[in-house]
């Protein structure tokens, strides 16, 4: 069985603050993939990143960065210098075969 | 535009009515999925089809049936809708050549209300 836990239900920050979203996963498999998706108020799911279990390098894409630590089964996501447009629900997800298992999501509200 | 197309986008049903949600992808992906999204619960897998001709239950299959009509199309049927099936439904597809997972493409969702 696989499980993804996003302990933070809601986070509220003021614009330009940094925000870190936690993601902890459980799986018995050695080969798996981790994902982050953004769901803005419009409702669609926007793909942010895919990372396989053999690649523990941290990644930075603009204001977004991800920290993958297999030792703690975590794949955390940081938004630097947040903007109002970052307000959304963010989902962490895990796949070890065909199926993708999602965490419950973290709602991020960025106030101007 | 290439991607996953879901129809309809919105639907209101009365308890006991039936309906089919349609999903089609034009990326030649092997695998297709149906998820439902409820507040505070993320997305939960209803059914999936790893390849044409196969379907399997996911986490919450009760009350639903699926058909993988061909490689492009994967439909979800509610035979007798219940208020508990009020949700947003997402279809997705993927090209997975185990152990490599190339990622998932999601449709824009169907908002279903059962009254």
């Amino acid at each position: 069985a696989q499980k993804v836990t996003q302990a933070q239900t809601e986070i509220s920050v003021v614009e330009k603050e940094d925000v870190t979203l936690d993601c902890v996963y459980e799986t018995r498999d050695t080969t798996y993939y981790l994902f982050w998706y953004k769901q803005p108020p419009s409702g669609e799911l926007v793909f942010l990143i895919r990372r396989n279990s053999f690649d523990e390098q941290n990644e930075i894409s603009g204001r977004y960065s991800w920290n993958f630590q297999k030792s703690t089964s975590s794949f955390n996501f940081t938004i630097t210098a947040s903007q109002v447009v970052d307000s959304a629900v963010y989902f962490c997800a895990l796949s070890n075969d065909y199926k993708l298992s999602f965490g419950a999501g973290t709602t991020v509200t960025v106030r101007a | 535009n290439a991607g996953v197309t879901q129809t309809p986008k919105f639907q209101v049903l009365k308890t006991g009515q039936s309906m089919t949600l349609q999903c089609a992808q034009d990326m030649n992906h092997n695998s297709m999925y149906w998820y439902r999204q409820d507040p505070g619960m993320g997305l939960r897998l209803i059914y999936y089809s790893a390849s044409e001709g196969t379907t399997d239950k996911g986490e919450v299959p009760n009350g639903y049936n699926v058909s993988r009509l061909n490689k492009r199309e994967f439909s979800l049927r509610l035979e007798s809708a219940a208020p508990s099936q009020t949700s947003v439904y997402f279809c997705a597809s993927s090209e997975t050549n185990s152990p490599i997972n190339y990622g998932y493409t999601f449709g824009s969702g169907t908002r279903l209300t059962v009254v």
Side-chain angles (χ1 to χ4, degrees), chain A residues 4 6 16 22 33 37 45-46 49 72 82 85 95:
Chain A
V4 177
Q6 295 180 255
K16 297 184 183 177
D22 297 332
Y33 287 80
Y37 287 89
L45 285 161
V46 178
I49 189 171
T72 56
S82 61
V85 293
S95 176

Side-chain angles (χ1 to χ4, degrees), chain B residues 13-17 36 38 64 78 80-87 89 112-115:
Chain B
L13 288 179
K14 293 183 179 178
T15 297
Q17 285 185 320
R36 60 177 287 173
D38 303 293
Y64 305 95
L78 288 70
S80 179
S84 61
Q85 294 177 305
T86 294
S87 189
Y89 291 84
L112 175 67
T113 302
V114 183
V115 299

Side-chain angles (χ1 to χ4, degrees), chain A residues 31 33 35 37 39 43-45 50 91 95 97-105, chain B residues 31 33 35 37 40-43 45 48 50 90 96 99-104 106:
Chain A
T31 301
Y33 287 80
F35 299 80
Y37 287 89
Q39 187 176 45
E44 74 273 21
L45 285 161
R50 174 185 64 132
F91 292 100
S95 176
D97 52 19
Y98 299 99
K99 295 170 287 186
L100 188 63
S101 298
F102 284 82
Chain B
S31 304
Y33 313 82
Y35 287 87
Q37 182 180 12
M41 304 188 76
L43 280 79
L45 184 65
Y48 69 101
F90 286 94
T96 302
I100 299 173
N101 184 320
Y102 296 101
Y104 302 80
F106 284 85

Side-chain angles (χ1 to χ4, degrees), chain B residues 61-79:
Chain B
N62 291 345
Y64 305 95
N65 285 302
V66 290
S67 295
R68 183 75 182 266
L69 303 170
N70 47 56
K71 192 171 185 179
R72 289 187 65 247
E73 299 172 287
F74 189 39
S75 63
L76 178 71
R77 182 159 178 86
L78 288 70
E79 291 291 351

Side-chain angles (χ1 to χ4, degrees), chain A residues 10-111:
Chain A
E10 295 183 27
I11 299 175
S12 182
V13 297
V14 176
E15 211 169 16
K16 297 184 183 177
E17 286 185 352
D18 297 347
V19 56
T20 295
L21 310 181
D22 297 332
C23 173
V24 175
Y25 61 92
E26 296 176 28
T27 180
R28 295 192 191 120
D29 294 291
T30 56
T31 301
Y32 52 89
Y33 287 80
L34 295 163
F35 299 80
W36 276 95
Y37 287 89
K38 173 183 179 180
Q39 187 176 45
S42 53
E44 74 273 21
L45 285 161
V46 178
F47 167 78
L48 295 178
I49 189 171
R50 174 185 64 132
R51 175 56 51 85
N52 75 53
S53 53
F54 299 107
D55 182 3
E56 287 194 72
Q57 277 194 322
N58 291 332
E59 182 156 340
I60 298 175
S61 176
R63 297 183 296 105
Y64 295 169
S65 62
W66 291 269
N67 182 290
F68 176 28
Q69 293 195 335
K70 282 180 80 169
S71 61
T72 56
S73 296
S74 65
F75 187 43
N76 297 336
F77 172 35
T78 298
I79 303 172
T80 302
S82 61
Q83 300 176 359
V84 172
V85 293
D86 295 326
S87 296
V89 181
Y90 291 86
F91 292 100
C92 181
L94 165 70
S95 176
N96 61 356
D97 52 19
Y98 299 99
K99 295 170 287 186
L100 188 63
S101 298
F102 284 82
T106 299
T107 300
V108 173
T109 302
V110 181
R111 308 185 308 276

Side-chain angles (χ1 to χ4, degrees), chain B residues 16-58:
Chain B
Q17 285 185 320
S18 61
M19 81 159 295
T20 299
L21 306 184
Q22 306 286 354
C23 176
Q25 53 93 7
D26 58 7
M27 296 167 288
N28 203 36
H29 284 171
N30 287 328
S31 304
M32 297 185 74
Y33 313 82
W34 277 105
Y35 287 87
R36 60 177 287 173
Q37 182 180 12
D38 303 293
M41 304 188 76
L43 280 79
R44 293 180 294 168
L45 184 65
I46 305 171
Y47 271 94
Y48 69 101
S49 171
S51 60
E52 186 179 358
T54 69
T55 60
D56 286 284
K57 295 178 181 179

